[in-house]
Amino acid sequence: VWGTRHDCCGLWSWGNKPLADAETHAARRAAHQAFDPLWASGRLKRGEAYAALSWATGWKQSDCHMMHMPKERALQVPVAVRKIWDVIDGRIEA
């Protein structure tokens, strides 16, 4: 499903993704689990979801793609996504 798994020196990846340690991979997976429903729900288009993540975090939009995020940044995504949902659902203003 995900392509070939690559292993090297305690790092690994699937397909053509960058090598990452287990903690970084877990943080990126959690970031995706929080982020993907923004666009998969149909509430935002995928590009709009990335723009919203950029807004919520203050990061450049090019820095918002999880496959390249360091663990520390990926761990911040779920909190930013909750802020985005609060705006979408009218609980706070943008």
Side-chain angles (χ1 to χ4, degrees), residues 49-94:
Y50 279 104
L53 183 59
S54 176
W55 165 80
T57 59
W59 306 331
K60 295 184 298 184
Q61 195 165 335
S62 61
D63 291 336
C64 290
H65 295 277
M66 270 122 292
M67 96 165 105
H68 297 292
M69 284 184 185
K71 173 183 65 175
E72 296 76 19
R73 181 168 284 191
L75 291 171
Q76 297 176 45
V77 170
V79 172
V81 168
R82 282 192 291 279
K83 181 177 177 180
I84 295 165
W85 278 118
D86 284 344
V87 170
I88 290 171
D89 293 335
R91 290 187 289 273
I92 64 172
E93 289 189 33

mmCIF file of all heavy atoms in Angstrom, residues 49-94:
data_model
loop_
_atom_site.group_PDB
_atom_site.id
_atom_site.type_symbol
_atom_site.label_atom_id
_atom_site.label_comp_id
_atom_site.label_asym_id
_atom_site.label_seq_id
_atom_site.Cartn_x
_atom_site.Cartn_y
_atom_site.Cartn_z
ATOM 1 N N ALA A 49 -6.659 23.982 3.357
ATOM 2 C CA ALA A 49 -6.259 23.414 4.647
ATOM 3 C C ALA A 49 -4.794 23.730 4.937
ATOM 4 O O ALA A 49 -4.439 24.087 6.063
ATOM 5 C CB ALA A 49 -6.517 21.906 4.670
ATOM 6 N N TYR A 50 -3.935 23.608 3.913
ATOM 7 C CA TYR A 50 -2.522 23.952 4.114
ATOM 8 C C TYR A 50 -2.355 25.451 4.373
ATOM 9 O O TYR A 50 -1.536 25.857 5.207
ATOM 10 C CB TYR A 50 -1.667 23.498 2.933
ATOM 11 C CG TYR A 50 -1.310 22.039 3.005
ATOM 12 C CD1 TYR A 50 -1.943 21.102 2.205
ATOM 13 C CD2 TYR A 50 -0.335 21.589 3.894
ATOM 14 C CE1 TYR A 50 -1.620 19.764 2.275
ATOM 15 C CE2 TYR A 50 -0.005 20.251 3.980
ATOM 16 C CZ TYR A 50 -0.656 19.339 3.173
ATOM 17 O OH TYR A 50 -0.327 18.007 3.260
ATOM 18 N N ALA A 51 -3.138 26.279 3.696
ATOM 19 C CA ALA A 51 -3.079 27.720 3.952
ATOM 20 C C ALA A 51 -3.537 28.022 5.379
ATOM 21 O O ALA A 51 -2.959 28.876 6.061
ATOM 22 C CB ALA A 51 -3.938 28.468 2.936
ATOM 23 N N ALA A 52 -4.563 27.318 5.838
ATOM 24 C CA ALA A 52 -5.048 27.511 7.206
ATOM 25 C C ALA A 52 -3.996 27.070 8.221
ATOM 26 O O ALA A 52 -3.806 27.726 9.250
ATOM 27 C CB ALA A 52 -6.353 26.741 7.416
ATOM 28 N N LEU A 53 -3.300 25.970 7.929
ATOM 29 C CA LEU A 53 -2.238 25.525 8.831
ATOM 30 C C LEU A 53 -1.124 26.562 8.888
ATOM 31 O O LEU A 53 -0.588 26.856 9.961
ATOM 32 C CB LEU A 53 -1.697 24.164 8.389
ATOM 33 C CG LEU A 53 -0.635 23.540 9.288
ATOM 34 C CD1 LEU A 53 -1.156 23.334 10.713
ATOM 35 C CD2 LEU A 53 -0.166 22.218 8.696
ATOM 36 N N SER A 54 -0.808 27.147 7.760
ATOM 37 C CA SER A 54 0.193 28.217 7.714
ATOM 38 C C SER A 54 -0.256 29.392 8.582
ATOM 39 O O SER A 54 0.524 29.939 9.367
ATOM 40 C CB SER A 54 0.404 28.659 6.262
ATOM 41 O OG SER A 54 1.289 29.740 6.187
ATOM 42 N N TRP A 55 -1.511 29.767 8.457
ATOM 43 C CA TRP A 55 -2.058 30.863 9.265
ATOM 44 C C TRP A 55 -1.995 30.534 10.756
ATOM 45 O O TRP A 55 -1.556 31.350 11.574
ATOM 46 C CB TRP A 55 -3.507 31.141 8.849
ATOM 47 C CG TRP A 55 -4.243 31.968 9.847
ATOM 48 C CD1 TRP A 55 -4.180 33.319 9.988
ATOM 49 C CD2 TRP A 55 -5.107 31.488 10.884
ATOM 50 N NE1 TRP A 55 -4.962 33.713 11.052
ATOM 51 C CE2 TRP A 55 -5.542 32.609 11.617
ATOM 52 C CE3 TRP A 55 -5.552 30.225 11.258
ATOM 53 C CZ2 TRP A 55 -6.407 32.494 12.692
ATOM 54 C CZ3 TRP A 55 -6.400 30.110 12.337
ATOM 55 C CH2 TRP A 55 -6.828 31.243 13.046
ATOM 56 N N ALA A 56 -2.425 29.317 11.119
ATOM 57 C CA ALA A 56 -2.533 28.935 12.532
ATOM 58 C C ALA A 56 -1.176 28.790 13.209
ATOM 59 O O ALA A 56 -1.069 28.966 14.425
ATOM 60 C CB ALA A 56 -3.317 27.635 12.666
ATOM 61 N N THR A 57 -0.149 28.483 12.429
ATOM 62 C CA THR A 57 1.174 28.257 13.006
ATOM 63 C C THR A 57 2.132 29.422 12.799
ATOM 64 O O THR A 57 3.126 29.541 13.507
ATOM 65 C CB THR A 57 1.823 27.009 12.384
ATOM 66 O OG1 THR A 57 1.927 27.207 10.974
ATOM 67 C CG2 THR A 57 1.036 25.753 12.693
ATOM 68 N N GLY A 58 1.868 30.236 11.777
ATOM 69 C CA GLY A 58 2.799 31.291 11.415
ATOM 70 C C GLY A 58 3.952 30.794 10.556
ATOM 71 O O GLY A 58 4.880 31.540 10.268
ATOM 72 N N TRP A 59 3.888 29.532 10.113
ATOM 73 C CA TRP A 59 4.922 28.973 9.252
ATOM 74 C C TRP A 59 4.620 29.308 7.805
ATOM 75 O O TRP A 59 3.457 29.487 7.430
ATOM 76 C CB TRP A 59 4.978 27.456 9.369
ATOM 77 C CG TRP A 59 5.132 26.912 10.754
ATOM 78 C CD1 TRP A 59 5.741 27.513 11.817
ATOM 79 C CD2 TRP A 59 4.649 25.655 11.224
ATOM 80 N NE1 TRP A 59 5.679 26.702 12.917
ATOM 81 C CE2 TRP A 59 5.016 25.558 12.589
ATOM 82 C CE3 TRP A 59 3.958 24.601 10.647
ATOM 83 C CZ2 TRP A 59 4.707 24.439 13.363
ATOM 84 C CZ3 TRP A 59 3.660 23.494 11.406
ATOM 85 C CH2 TRP A 59 4.036 23.419 12.751
ATOM 86 N N LYS A 60 5.655 29.357 6.984
ATOM 87 C CA LYS A 60 5.439 29.481 5.542
ATOM 88 C C LYS A 60 4.661 28.248 5.078
ATOM 89 O O LYS A 60 4.834 27.155 5.630
ATOM 90 C CB LYS A 60 6.767 29.544 4.783
ATOM 91 C CG LYS A 60 7.601 30.759 5.082
ATOM 92 C CD LYS A 60 8.845 30.790 4.221
ATOM 93 C CE LYS A 60 9.695 29.563 4.540
ATOM 94 N NZ LYS A 60 10.973 29.541 3.832
ATOM 95 N N GLN A 61 3.809 28.429 4.081
ATOM 96 C CA GLN A 61 3.011 27.300 3.612
ATOM 97 C C GLN A 61 3.894 26.154 3.124
ATOM 98 O O GLN A 61 3.562 24.990 3.316
ATOM 99 C CB GLN A 61 2.040 27.745 2.521
ATOM 100 C CG GLN A 61 0.955 26.720 2.259
ATOM 101 C CD GLN A 61 -0.191 27.272 1.463
ATOM 102 O OE1 GLN A 61 -0.464 28.469 1.462
ATOM 103 N NE2 GLN A 61 -0.892 26.407 0.763
ATOM 104 N N SER A 62 5.043 26.473 2.558
ATOM 105 C CA SER A 62 5.957 25.420 2.091
ATOM 106 C C SER A 62 6.532 24.603 3.253
ATOM 107 O O SER A 62 7.033 23.496 3.036
ATOM 108 C CB SER A 62 7.088 26.029 1.263
ATOM 109 O OG SER A 62 7.842 26.933 2.042
ATOM 110 N N ASP A 63 6.451 25.111 4.473
ATOM 111 C CA ASP A 63 6.932 24.388 5.654
ATOM 112 C C ASP A 63 5.834 23.566 6.328
ATOM 113 O O ASP A 63 6.063 22.971 7.380
ATOM 114 C CB ASP A 63 7.517 25.364 6.681
ATOM 115 C CG ASP A 63 8.806 25.995 6.216
ATOM 116 O OD1 ASP A 63 9.493 25.386 5.366
ATOM 117 O OD2 ASP A 63 9.126 27.102 6.697
ATOM 118 N N CYS A 64 4.651 23.548 5.724
ATOM 119 C CA CYS A 64 3.509 22.890 6.347
ATOM 120 C C CYS A 64 3.286 21.454 5.875
ATOM 121 O O CYS A 64 2.294 20.836 6.257
ATOM 122 C CB CYS A 64 2.240 23.716 6.112
ATOM 123 S SG CYS A 64 2.245 25.265 7.037
ATOM 124 N N HIS A 65 4.164 20.922 5.066
ATOM 125 C CA HIS A 65 3.995 19.549 4.592
ATOM 126 C C HIS A 65 4.665 18.593 5.567
ATOM 127 O O HIS A 65 5.854 18.685 5.836
ATOM 128 C CB HIS A 65 4.538 19.405 3.168
ATOM 129 C CG HIS A 65 3.740 20.216 2.206
ATOM 130 N ND1 HIS A 65 2.558 19.760 1.666
ATOM 131 C CD2 HIS A 65 3.914 21.463 1.728
ATOM 132 C CE1 HIS A 65 2.048 20.701 0.883
ATOM 133 N NE2 HIS A 65 2.857 21.747 0.912
ATOM 134 N N MET A 66 3.866 17.674 6.112
ATOM 135 C CA MET A 66 4.300 16.823 7.204
ATOM 136 C C MET A 66 5.491 15.933 6.873
ATOM 137 O O MET A 66 6.307 15.662 7.737
ATOM 138 C CB MET A 66 3.127 15.970 7.684
ATOM 139 C CG MET A 66 2.389 16.686 8.764
ATOM 140 S SD MET A 66 0.649 17.064 8.598
ATOM 141 C CE MET A 66 0.363 18.230 7.399
ATOM 142 N N MET A 67 5.638 15.515 5.618
ATOM 143 C CA MET A 67 6.716 14.575 5.304
ATOM 144 C C MET A 67 8.097 15.190 5.504
ATOM 145 O O MET A 67 9.078 14.474 5.639
ATOM 146 C CB MET A 67 6.566 14.003 3.898
ATOM 147 C CG MET A 67 7.350 14.685 2.826
ATOM 148 S SD MET A 67 7.451 13.690 1.346
ATOM 149 C CE MET A 67 6.296 14.554 0.334
ATOM 150 N N HIS A 68 8.178 16.508 5.553
ATOM 151 C CA HIS A 68 9.470 17.163 5.742
ATOM 152 C C HIS A 68 9.628 17.780 7.133
ATOM 153 O O HIS A 68 10.670 18.363 7.428
ATOM 154 C CB HIS A 68 9.660 18.256 4.683
ATOM 155 C CG HIS A 68 9.686 17.715 3.303
ATOM 156 N ND1 HIS A 68 10.704 16.927 2.826
ATOM 157 C CD2 HIS A 68 8.796 17.811 2.293
ATOM 158 C CE1 HIS A 68 10.444 16.576 1.583
ATOM 159 N NE2 HIS A 68 9.302 17.095 1.238
ATOM 160 N N MET A 69 8.604 17.664 7.963
ATOM 161 C CA MET A 69 8.657 18.313 9.273
ATOM 162 C C MET A 69 9.552 17.569 10.245
ATOM 163 O O MET A 69 9.491 16.350 10.334
ATOM 164 C CB MET A 69 7.257 18.347 9.903
ATOM 165 C CG MET A 69 6.346 19.352 9.345
ATOM 166 S SD MET A 69 4.801 19.330 10.286
ATOM 167 C CE MET A 69 3.881 20.505 9.315
ATOM 168 N N PRO A 70 10.331 18.323 11.015
ATOM 169 C CA PRO A 70 11.003 17.682 12.147
ATOM 170 C C PRO A 70 9.947 17.330 13.202
ATOM 171 O O PRO A 70 8.839 17.880 13.215
ATOM 172 C CB PRO A 70 11.959 18.758 12.656
ATOM 173 C CG PRO A 70 11.426 20.048 12.145
ATOM 174 C CD PRO A 70 10.648 19.736 10.902
ATOM 175 N N LYS A 71 10.308 16.427 14.073
ATOM 176 C CA LYS A 71 9.383 15.946 15.100
ATOM 177 C C LYS A 71 8.775 17.099 15.893
ATOM 178 O O LYS A 71 7.561 17.127 16.135
ATOM 179 C CB LYS A 71 10.122 14.979 16.035
ATOM 180 C CG LYS A 71 9.326 14.530 17.228
ATOM 181 C CD LYS A 71 10.131 13.629 18.140
ATOM 182 C CE LYS A 71 11.275 14.391 18.732
ATOM 183 N NZ LYS A 71 12.059 13.638 19.716
ATOM 184 N N GLU A 72 9.596 18.062 16.293
ATOM 185 C CA GLU A 72 9.113 19.161 17.138
ATOM 186 C C GLU A 72 8.020 19.972 16.447
ATOM 187 O O GLU A 72 7.063 20.409 17.093
ATOM 188 C CB GLU A 72 10.284 20.074 17.520
ATOM 189 C CG GLU A 72 11.335 19.401 18.370
ATOM 190 C CD GLU A 72 12.268 18.454 17.595
ATOM 191 O OE1 GLU A 72 12.365 18.561 16.348
ATOM 192 O OE2 GLU A 72 12.877 17.593 18.249
ATOM 193 N N ARG A 73 8.140 20.171 15.173
ATOM 194 C CA ARG A 73 7.132 20.917 14.425
ATOM 195 C C ARG A 73 5.876 20.066 14.243
ATOM 196 O O ARG A 73 4.760 20.554 14.420
ATOM 197 C CB ARG A 73 7.688 21.352 13.073
ATOM 198 C CG ARG A 73 6.677 22.161 12.280
ATOM 199 C CD ARG A 73 7.314 22.820 11.109
ATOM 200 N NE ARG A 73 8.069 23.964 11.635
ATOM 201 C CZ ARG A 73 8.595 24.896 10.894
ATOM 202 N NH1 ARG A 73 8.484 24.852 9.597
ATOM 203 N NH2 ARG A 73 9.239 25.900 11.438
ATOM 204 N N ALA A 74 6.041 18.799 13.905
ATOM 205 C CA ALA A 74 4.889 17.917 13.703
ATOM 206 C C ALA A 74 4.039 17.815 14.970
ATOM 207 O O ALA A 74 2.805 17.724 14.891
ATOM 208 C CB ALA A 74 5.352 16.535 13.252
ATOM 209 N N LEU A 75 4.692 17.850 16.131
ATOM 210 C CA LEU A 75 3.951 17.770 17.392
ATOM 211 C C LEU A 75 3.066 18.988 17.621
ATOM 212 O O LEU A 75 2.128 18.932 18.423
ATOM 213 C CB LEU A 75 4.929 17.605 18.556
ATOM 214 C CG LEU A 75 5.655 16.257 18.620
ATOM 215 C CD1 LEU A 75 6.756 16.284 19.671
ATOM 216 C CD2 LEU A 75 4.673 15.126 18.877
ATOM 217 N N GLN A 76 3.314 20.091 16.948
ATOM 218 C CA GLN A 76 2.518 21.304 17.097
ATOM 219 C C GLN A 76 1.267 21.308 16.209
ATOM 220 O O GLN A 76 0.352 22.113 16.413
ATOM 221 C CB GLN A 76 3.370 22.527 16.764
ATOM 222 C CG GLN A 76 4.534 22.722 17.702
ATOM 223 C CD GLN A 76 5.409 23.877 17.278
ATOM 224 O OE1 GLN A 76 4.920 24.947 16.930
ATOM 225 N NE2 GLN A 76 6.719 23.663 17.291
ATOM 226 N N VAL A 77 1.229 20.433 15.223
ATOM 227 C CA VAL A 77 0.132 20.439 14.243
ATOM 228 C C VAL A 77 -1.234 20.180 14.884
ATOM 229 O O VAL A 77 -2.194 20.907 14.596
ATOM 230 C CB VAL A 77 0.422 19.474 13.086
ATOM 231 C CG1 VAL A 77 -0.802 19.285 12.187
ATOM 232 C CG2 VAL A 77 1.615 19.979 12.271
ATOM 233 N N PRO A 78 -1.408 19.179 15.763
ATOM 234 C CA PRO A 78 -2.744 18.957 16.329
ATOM 235 C C PRO A 78 -3.323 20.179 17.051
ATOM 236 O O PRO A 78 -4.521 20.465 16.933
ATOM 237 C CB PRO A 78 -2.540 17.776 17.281
ATOM 238 C CG PRO A 78 -1.396 17.021 16.659
ATOM 239 C CD PRO A 78 -0.478 18.111 16.144
ATOM 240 N N VAL A 79 -2.496 20.920 17.771
ATOM 241 C CA VAL A 79 -2.967 22.130 18.456
ATOM 242 C C VAL A 79 -3.401 23.182 17.433
ATOM 243 O O VAL A 79 -4.450 23.820 17.582
ATOM 244 C CB VAL A 79 -1.869 22.695 19.394
ATOM 245 C CG1 VAL A 79 -2.274 24.039 19.961
ATOM 246 C CG2 VAL A 79 -1.568 21.707 20.496
ATOM 247 N N ALA A 80 -2.619 23.348 16.372
ATOM 248 C CA ALA A 80 -2.961 24.305 15.318
ATOM 249 C C ALA A 80 -4.261 23.900 14.626
ATOM 250 O O ALA A 80 -5.100 24.754 14.315
ATOM 251 C CB ALA A 80 -1.829 24.397 14.306
ATOM 252 N N VAL A 81 -4.451 22.611 14.420
ATOM 253 C CA VAL A 81 -5.678 22.135 13.762
ATOM 254 C C VAL A 81 -6.897 22.413 14.638
ATOM 255 O O VAL A 81 -7.956 22.801 14.132
ATOM 256 C CB VAL A 81 -5.554 20.643 13.391
ATOM 257 C CG1 VAL A 81 -6.897 20.070 12.975
ATOM 258 C CG2 VAL A 81 -4.524 20.465 12.279
ATOM 259 N N ARG A 82 -6.747 22.252 15.948
ATOM 260 C CA ARG A 82 -7.881 22.581 16.834
ATOM 261 C C ARG A 82 -8.252 24.062 16.695
ATOM 262 O O ARG A 82 -9.430 24.427 16.703
ATOM 263 C CB ARG A 82 -7.548 22.232 18.286
ATOM 264 C CG ARG A 82 -7.678 20.749 18.575
ATOM 265 C CD ARG A 82 -7.646 20.410 20.047
ATOM 266 N NE ARG A 82 -6.350 20.626 20.684
ATOM 267 C CZ ARG A 82 -5.322 19.787 20.624
ATOM 268 N NH1 ARG A 82 -5.420 18.671 19.943
ATOM 269 N NH2 ARG A 82 -4.200 20.059 21.253
ATOM 270 N N LYS A 83 -7.259 24.927 16.553
ATOM 271 C CA LYS A 83 -7.510 26.362 16.348
ATOM 272 C C LYS A 83 -8.254 26.578 15.029
ATOM 273 O O LYS A 83 -9.203 27.371 14.970
ATOM 274 C CB LYS A 83 -6.180 27.115 16.344
ATOM 275 C CG LYS A 83 -6.303 28.606 16.165
ATOM 276 C CD LYS A 83 -4.922 29.251 16.252
ATOM 277 C CE LYS A 83 -4.981 30.749 16.017
ATOM 278 N NZ LYS A 83 -3.642 31.370 16.093
ATOM 279 N N ILE A 84 -7.860 25.870 13.996
ATOM 280 C CA ILE A 84 -8.530 25.996 12.693
ATOM 281 C C ILE A 84 -9.981 25.549 12.805
ATOM 282 O O ILE A 84 -10.886 26.225 12.309
ATOM 283 C CB ILE A 84 -7.782 25.188 11.621
ATOM 284 C CG1 ILE A 84 -6.382 25.768 11.398
ATOM 285 C CG2 ILE A 84 -8.577 25.152 10.308
ATOM 286 C CD1 ILE A 84 -5.439 24.856 10.637
ATOM 287 N N TRP A 85 -10.226 24.398 13.461
ATOM 288 C CA TRP A 85 -11.609 23.937 13.633
ATOM 289 C C TRP A 85 -12.433 24.947 14.436
ATOM 290 O O TRP A 85 -13.618 25.162 14.141
ATOM 291 C CB TRP A 85 -11.648 22.575 14.328
ATOM 292 C CG TRP A 85 -11.407 21.418 13.412
ATOM 293 C CD1 TRP A 85 -10.382 20.529 13.478
ATOM 294 C CD2 TRP A 85 -12.200 21.012 12.286
ATOM 295 N NE1 TRP A 85 -10.476 19.608 12.467
ATOM 296 C CE2 TRP A 85 -11.583 19.876 11.733
ATOM 297 C CE3 TRP A 85 -13.361 21.498 11.703
ATOM 298 C CZ2 TRP A 85 -12.100 19.225 10.614
ATOM 299 C CZ3 TRP A 85 -13.870 20.848 10.589
ATOM 300 C CH2 TRP A 85 -13.251 19.733 10.057
ATOM 301 N N ASP A 86 -11.812 25.582 15.433
ATOM 302 C CA ASP A 86 -12.529 26.591 16.223
ATOM 303 C C ASP A 86 -12.981 27.750 15.325
ATOM 304 O O ASP A 86 -14.084 28.285 15.497
ATOM 305 C CB ASP A 86 -11.660 27.117 17.360
ATOM 306 C CG ASP A 86 -11.562 26.134 18.518
ATOM 307 O OD1 ASP A 86 -12.382 25.187 18.595
ATOM 308 O OD2 ASP A 86 -10.654 26.315 19.360
ATOM 309 N N VAL A 87 -12.155 28.128 14.373
ATOM 310 C CA VAL A 87 -12.538 29.197 13.434
ATOM 311 C C VAL A 87 -13.631 28.698 12.488
ATOM 312 O O VAL A 87 -14.640 29.371 12.279
ATOM 313 C CB VAL A 87 -11.314 29.703 12.635
ATOM 314 C CG1 VAL A 87 -11.737 30.636 11.504
ATOM 315 C CG2 VAL A 87 -10.328 30.407 13.556
ATOM 316 N N ILE A 88 -13.449 27.519 11.920
ATOM 317 C CA ILE A 88 -14.440 26.960 10.992
ATOM 318 C C ILE A 88 -15.798 26.848 11.663
ATOM 319 O O ILE A 88 -16.820 27.173 11.065
ATOM 320 C CB ILE A 88 -13.974 25.579 10.474
ATOM 321 C CG1 ILE A 88 -12.784 25.727 9.534
ATOM 322 C CG2 ILE A 88 -15.121 24.843 9.773
ATOM 323 C CD1 ILE A 88 -12.129 24.402 9.151
ATOM 324 N N ASP A 89 -15.804 26.391 12.903
ATOM 325 C CA ASP A 89 -17.063 26.176 13.625
ATOM 326 C C ASP A 89 -17.576 27.421 14.335
ATOM 327 O O ASP A 89 -18.595 27.370 15.038
ATOM 328 C CB ASP A 89 -16.899 25.026 14.639
ATOM 329 C CG ASP A 89 -16.688 23.685 13.941
ATOM 330 O OD1 ASP A 89 -17.115 23.529 12.765
ATOM 331 O OD2 ASP A 89 -16.093 22.786 14.562
ATOM 332 N N GLY A 90 -16.892 28.556 14.169
ATOM 333 C CA GLY A 90 -17.373 29.823 14.707
ATOM 334 C C GLY A 90 -17.139 30.024 16.190
ATOM 335 O O GLY A 90 -17.718 30.933 16.790
ATOM 336 N N ARG A 91 -16.284 29.220 16.806
ATOM 337 C CA ARG A 91 -16.027 29.376 18.239
ATOM 338 C C ARG A 91 -15.062 30.519 18.516
ATOM 339 O O ARG A 91 -15.086 31.110 19.597
ATOM 340 C CB ARG A 91 -15.506 28.071 18.836
ATOM 341 C CG ARG A 91 -16.579 26.984 18.898
ATOM 342 C CD ARG A 91 -16.088 25.747 19.645
ATOM 343 N NE ARG A 91 -15.090 25.003 18.899
ATOM 344 C CZ ARG A 91 -15.367 24.062 18.001
ATOM 345 N NH1 ARG A 91 -16.625 23.754 17.739
ATOM 346 N NH2 ARG A 91 -14.398 23.409 17.372
ATOM 347 N N ILE A 92 -14.176 30.824 17.539
ATOM 348 C CA ILE A 92 -13.284 31.968 17.647
ATOM 349 C C ILE A 92 -13.218 32.655 16.281
ATOM 350 O O ILE A 92 -13.577 32.057 15.267
ATOM 351 C CB ILE A 92 -11.848 31.595 18.116
ATOM 352 C CG1 ILE A 92 -11.140 30.705 17.090
ATOM 353 C CG2 ILE A 92 -11.884 30.955 19.491
ATOM 354 C CD1 ILE A 92 -9.677 30.477 17.394
ATOM 355 N N GLU A 93 -12.772 33.904 16.272
ATOM 356 C CA GLU A 93 -12.615 34.635 15.012
ATOM 357 C C GLU A 93 -11.174 34.526 14.538
ATOM 358 O O GLU A 93 -10.256 34.453 15.352
ATOM 359 C CB GLU A 93 -12.985 36.100 15.209
ATOM 360 C CG GLU A 93 -14.472 36.284 15.409
ATOM 361 C CD GLU A 93 -14.861 37.769 15.392
ATOM 362 O OE1 GLU A 93 -14.210 38.540 14.669
ATOM 363 O OE2 GLU A 93 -15.787 38.097 16.131
ATOM 364 N N ALA A 94 -11.027 34.545 13.238
ATOM 365 C CA ALA A 94 -9.675 34.460 12.651
ATOM 366 C C ALA A 94 -8.929 35.751 12.859
ATOM 367 O O ALA A 94 -9.444 36.800 12.990
ATOM 368 C CB ALA A 94 -9.783 34.153 11.156
#
